[in-house]
Amino acid sequence: MEAFWYSTAGVLFAEIGDKTQLLALFLAARFPQKKAVIAGILAATLLNHAVSAVFGAWLAQAVPPGVVKWLVGLSFIAVGLWLLVPDKDGGGDDGRWLKYGAFAATAVLFFLAEIGDKTQIATVLLAAKYQAAFAVMCGSTLGLMLANVPAVYLGDALLRRIPAQTVRRTACAAFCLLGVLTLAGGDLVLG
């Protein structure tokens, strides 16, 4: 259960203000079919995070434990620091996908936006740390959905009330702490 809850919280906080959350806002404004947008986000996230979690769990098995400990610990710290940098719009040609409708456009654009994204890397790292691909995939998907479903329904009004910088700093501290604890050989204890 620990892998599930840390994955949920880590991805939820990493997603606030992320480019994929901004993409969710754009798609929600573009398409009136909110449920189709949400279904597209879910489909893309499940596929992306399933691959990421399996890769992370494989990495933990294929690489010696001492190397995994340092790789994962330092990577958690790097992701934490990366969270302090706001995402920029990639400027890609997203318009060509919009003609396929709310679900298809959302699924394709979200899947592409998640490649190499903070939440994908966090999913790989969490799966490597906990060696529980399914729990991490479920938790990271839930965290992403918890961040994006309100964005789809509440849009800009929600983002104006969330202090994105405070959320980024909190997520940075959490990932850095997890990195330090991983390097120290301990785990966070759920109270």
Side-chain angles (χ1 to χ4, degrees), residues 24 36-46 106-107 110 144-145 148-149 152:
V37 170
I38 291 168
I41 292 170
L42 179 61
T45 303
L46 281 171
T106 301
F110 232 81
L144 193 131
M145 297 306 290
N148 285 295
V149 169
V152 168

Side-chain angles (χ1 to χ4, degrees), residues 108-149:
V108 169
L109 292 174
F110 232 81
F111 182 83
L112 293 174
E114 273 292 297
I115 295 174
D117 194 53
K118 295 170 200 154
T119 53
Q120 183 187 41
I121 293 169
T123 302
V124 170
L125 295 174
L126 288 160
K129 177 176 177 54
Y130 291 107
Q131 298 183 32
F134 185 73
V136 169
M137 181 205 61
C138 291
S140 66
T141 299
L142 177 61
L144 193 131
M145 297 306 290
L146 288 172
N148 285 295
V149 169

